[in-house]
Amino acid sequence: MSERSLRVLIIEDDPVSGLLVEKTLAFEKTRPFESAWVKSLEAALTRLETETFPVIILDLNLPDSAGI
């Protein structure tokens, strides 16, 4: 039986930090994952209108939003 990938949305404007998150997730071997990466809250909200992500990793300091 094939296990489905866990879908993760990464909302991060800094390319180095975004890559670090993806590389850290890659160490998890118990379940495959697929990540999508956007650089702003606006882009994330647009994507969430048509797609579902069980896991969202959000940078709290983005160009178009700040804080919780």
Side-chain angles (χ1 to χ4, degrees):
M1 177 167 55
S2 171
E3 190 172 4
R4 290 184 357 171
S5 295
L6 180 63
R7 300 191 73 220
V8 179
L9 177 62
I10 302 168
I11 308 168
E12 173 60 68
D13 61 321
D14 177 47
V16 174
S17 296
L19 186 60
L20 180 61
V21 170
E22 285 187 325
K23 295 293 183 186
T24 302
L25 289 172
F27 280 106
E28 176 55 49
K29 302 296 184 195
T30 59
R31 184 169 183 183
F33 78 95
E34 70 178 76
S35 64
W37 183 7
V38 294
K39 295 182 179 183
S40 69
L41 183 60
E42 181 181 2
L45 294 174
T46 299
R47 191 128 188 203
L48 288 169
E49 289 177 0
T50 59
E51 296 180 66
T52 302
F53 295 88
V55 177
I56 298 175
I57 299 174
L58 171 65
D59 177 3
L60 291 180
N61 192 18
L62 293 166
D64 60 345
S65 70
I68 297 173

